Amino acid sequence: MTIGKNKRHDSSPTHVNGKSIFVDDRPTLQNEIYVQVVGAQCAKGKLQSIDASEALETKGVLGVLTANDFKNNIWGTIVKEQPLLCSDQILYYDEPICLVVAENESIARSAAKLIKVSIKEEEPTFDIQKAIDQKNFCYVATPFLVGDPDSQIAKATHTLKGSFYCGGQEHFYMESQACIAYPMERGQIEVHASSQHPSETQHLVASALGLNYHQVTCVVKRMGGGFGGKESQAAPVAAYAALAAQKFGRPCRIAWDKDEDMAITGKRHPFLNFYEVAFNDEGKILGAKFDLYADVGAYTDLSPSILERAMFHIDGAYYFPDIEVKGTCVKTNTHSNTAFRGFGGPQGTMTIESIIEDIAYTLKKDAFEIRKVNIYQGEDQKTPYEQKVENNQLPKLFNLIETETKYNERRNAINQFNAKRNGKVRGLSVSAVKFGIAFTAKFLNQGNALVNLHLDGTAQVSTGATEMGQGVNSKIAQIVSHALGIDYDDVIVMPTSTEKNHNTSPTAASSGSDINGAAALAACNKIKKRLSILAKKHFLGETFDDVKEIDADTEVEGYKEIIFKDGIVSDLKLKKEIKLKELIGMAYMNRVSLGDYAHFKTDGLGFDKKTGKGKAFNYFTNGVALTEVEIDEYTGELKILTSKIHMDLGRPLNPGIDKGQVTGAFIQGAGWVTTENLFYSPQGKLLSHSPTTYKIPSIQDMPRDFEVNLIENLDLTVNVYGSKAVGEPPFLLGQSVWMAAKNALAYRANKMPQITSPATNEVILMELERVKG
Ligand code: MTE
Ligand code: HPA
Ligand code: MOS
């Protein structure tokens, strides 16, 4: 039994002894070369010329490649509009213009500095409001509309109208974008990439180089973090290495340093959201209108889907009887913003959670009271896109956090502390999450798996899932070892490769183990069914004919009576057993296949993009967090005193790994809303381009008292082994830190506190000054 157990992380032994292989750890081949990107030194303009003469004279430089060297220079996950290298229009600072290929990295890097690019500069737009005014839109979503929010707003006792801005976020994965491309026979290319989406990387390399898909293989052993930043944007990096490998017929490496990676790649989307909400004296929300604007940067990338996920999460954990939600993608002249843990969801929920704090301030009530009257109750209430909120754990979670943290006592203690006016002010807040699990693009909710059972009773499994630290390999190994009744250590998850698993979806939307785990289970079940037929015959003393191929849905007589456990295969009815290894040997000798492949698709999804209604998600992951903070009124310094989290992960596949995910996601979410701030020069150059200028949370930013709990929920039936996805949902709970800071400000305010996100120490200090009146 390995499901639900704390099996070690697949990478932990090698992470600890330093033997984990990342792309740039692959040994250098004798004839290997390096490719360096040269970026634009302005945010908008027309490319006039590239003078590479000096670079080309440098010893060890093999060539300089430009847009014309690609067979097809255009890419884009949703809209094919982004050049791999600029040939004409430049749309953001540091946008790739050309490639210097050299014998090694240091020559390539120094030669890149000798390239002279001339650009006729144009007036860039950085400000989202200005871009909205210019109607610089690349996507307008179909609005959601339920009931009649206008009339609710017209007749309500209380309304609030305003806008909410939240900033971007750098992924800050430890391993920057990297790839090595190996030229093979007959024009084939094998790329080893740090990519969440090997299939997209394969497809882009092929199209960019004028190859067929079957000539390109993409292999991903693991990533040193992805967080969404390697969902789409790993692909062009691979295309650069592949182009040089193809041109020069030599293996080619690219491995960005942190500064390059931060300047070139997209980040979380900043959003500017407008709202109007109506509520009664109790704080119950009666109607609302939202109009969301995502700052997509220079290119569309994944933005329409990200905008839509923000719209899907504008309700947070709260029920809106009458609601309208609109959304628009706006282009500006920055790096092209992309997927980042939560995928727009956090930008939606920040808005509503902040509004709830404002409702509380307006009514002079505790925001927890407002949240309690508005959370989804029961299983029948519908979301703004008319999906029922089934398996709803929110009321249970609210009760739990209230009693377990002794909410009222805590509030009283804070009231007393703050009354002392000793230069510190404390705040308290609860945030809840209801994160929808499924890709909102329905076709992505599919996966395939290959399981090989070997004669010694060990197994290898390959799926489209990529390991980025989140533990998907461990979970898939658990599923396979559980299904086959073999030891956890007797299963190895093989490197992800497009030659074993085809047309795979990105490992994203938190659904890596949902989809690939289910596919692996289906493949195991096919093997088990064949072995069961064999076992039955053996127990009954019958001879074996060849056992037919079987698919996952085939009914096999007596299959349910055969149990695979602890290396033994037993028949509950016949009360007989055989060692799995023996049965495997018997299967081989009788020409019964010991490997299988299966395809899985998530059932029951039915969101209609044209009407903005339907079942967008397979289920929701719920959670709740209470956070208490303390602000130093002289410096604005913010300390997290306490964070207590209760998470609903159904029957978690690996509670230990999942607790790690909850912890990391919460801190990453807290970082987004507090210390992580992107700064640009007036010309649009990213100034916060390294750890020296961009502040991710450190140990000092952790809650002094931090607790992560998983609640019991045995009722989910729609996902593999009753588990719920964990990767992104707890990110949204980090918002409780910001809410608590806003609550602290309210204690010192003569008017409603109105901070944006991130609430850095400076922002907090300035707001303290402003609100004290
Ligand atoms: N955890 C680690 N350690 N590193 C990561 O890059 N990415 C997150 C999350 N947890 C990430 C992580 C994101 S954005 C997603 S979508 C999920 O993991 C993807 O993996 P899963 O679907 O297997 O949970
Ligand atoms: N989440 C994450 N990544 C995605 C999605 C999604 O819903 N759709 C496409 N890529
Ligand atoms: Mo995660 S943002 O869906 O890669």
Side-chain angles (χ1 to χ4, degrees), residues 78 231 302 305 309 339 342-343 438-441 444 506 508-510 617 728:
I78 297 178
E231 181 173 339
L302 290 159
S305 293
R309 190 171 279 272
F343 204 73
F439 287 98
T440 54
L444 290 174
S510 303
F617 300 111
E728 295 165 288

Side-chain angles (χ1 to χ4, degrees), residues 203-513:
H203 297 166
L204 178 61
V205 166
S207 90
L209 271 52
L211 300 173
N212 293 319
Y213 290 179
H214 75 318
Q215 293 173 288
V216 179
T217 302
C218 176
V219 184
V220 177
K221 169 64 186 160
R222 61 160 63 77
M223 279 158 278
F227 304 112
K230 295 171 182 169
E231 181 173 339
S232 62
Q233 299 200 1
V237 182
Y240 301 146
L243 178 69
Q246 188 191 45
K247 287 272 169 200
F248 297 98
R250 294 166 63 173
C252 182
R253 183 178 303 237
I254 185 166
W256 285 346
D257 65 27
K258 196 74 196 157
D259 295 48
E260 279 165 352
D261 189 297
M262 286 181 75
I264 301 170
T265 62
K267 328 239 163 278
R268 180 183 296 286
H269 292 62
F271 268 66
L272 179 59
N273 298 335
F274 297 89
Y275 60 83
E276 201 171 354
V277 290
F279 50 98
N280 66 17
D281 290 334
E282 213 196 340
K284 188 155 179 50
I285 298 170
L286 306 170
K289 289 172 76 170
F290 293 96
D291 196 4
L292 278 48
Y293 292 88
D295 181 346
V296 316
Y299 299 98
T300 304
D301 196 88
L302 290 159
S303 303
S305 293
I306 290 162
L307 170 75
E308 275 154 6
R309 190 171 279 272
M311 294 168 67
F312 283 122
H313 288 83
I314 195 69
D315 60 338
Y318 313 106
Y319 171 61
F320 290 75
D322 294 70
I323 183 165
E324 178 188 70
V325 189
K326 292 189 194 164
T328 307
C329 287
V330 189
K331 281 191 172 175
T332 57
N333 294 109
T334 64
H335 41 69
S336 178
N337 291 323
T338 192
F340 195 145
R341 208 171 195 169
F343 204 73
Q347 293 93 320
T349 56
M350 264 307 267
T351 308
I352 183 59
E353 293 283 27
S354 169
I355 293 170
I356 297 235
E357 296 291 327
D358 295 347
I359 294 175
Y361 185 89
T362 309
L363 297 176
K364 303 273 170 272
K365 281 178 182 279
D366 189 326
F368 192 46
E369 296 304 313
I370 313 295
R371 289 189 165 90
K372 278 198 288 189
V373 298
N374 285 298
I375 46 160
Y376 282 99
Q377 310 279 338
E379 307 247 319
D380 292 325
Q381 286 180 334
K382 287 187 174 170
T383 63
Y385 43 95
E386 300 203 334
Q387 168 166 359
K388 266 197 200 172
V389 181
E390 291 166 306
N391 198 261
N392 175 17
Q393 308 296 308
L394 290 165
K396 183 162 118 189
L397 289 164
F398 268 66
N399 273 333
L400 195 58
I401 202 94
E402 181 167 17
T403 49
E404 187 251 1
T405 62
K406 303 198 174 72
Y407 185 87
N408 291 332
E409 283 176 33
R410 229 169 231 278
R411 176 60 76 191
N412 289 336
I414 290 176
N415 291 343
Q416 283 169 22
F417 179 90
N418 288 345
K420 284 195 222 139
R421 293 200 164 258
N422 61 358
K424 310 244 189 229
V425 60
R426 291 183 176 175
L428 178 67
S429 191
V430 172
S431 286
V433 63
K434 170 192 120 296
F435 195 79
I437 303 299
F439 287 98
T440 54
K442 188 175 166 186
F443 72 93
L444 290 174
N445 295 288
Q446 60 174 319
N448 60 80
L450 174 68
V451 175
N452 297 331
L453 186 52
H454 294 284
L455 287 182
D456 65 352
T458 61
Q460 293 172 320
V461 52
S462 308
T463 75
T466 52
E467 177 62 52
M468 61 193 97
Q470 87 280 37
V472 69
N473 281 2
S474 308
K475 291 180 180 180
I476 290 173
Q478 282 177 282
I479 288 170
V480 170
S481 75
H482 188 87
L484 298 175
I486 60 180
D487 265 8
Y488 177 69
D489 288 322
D490 284 343
V491 180
I492 295 182
V493 179
M494 304 309 287
T496 315
S497 165
T498 56
E499 71 179 334
K500 287 173 292 178
N501 301 98
H502 60 91
N503 303 301
T504 53
S505 296
T507 307
S510 303
S511 60
S513 40

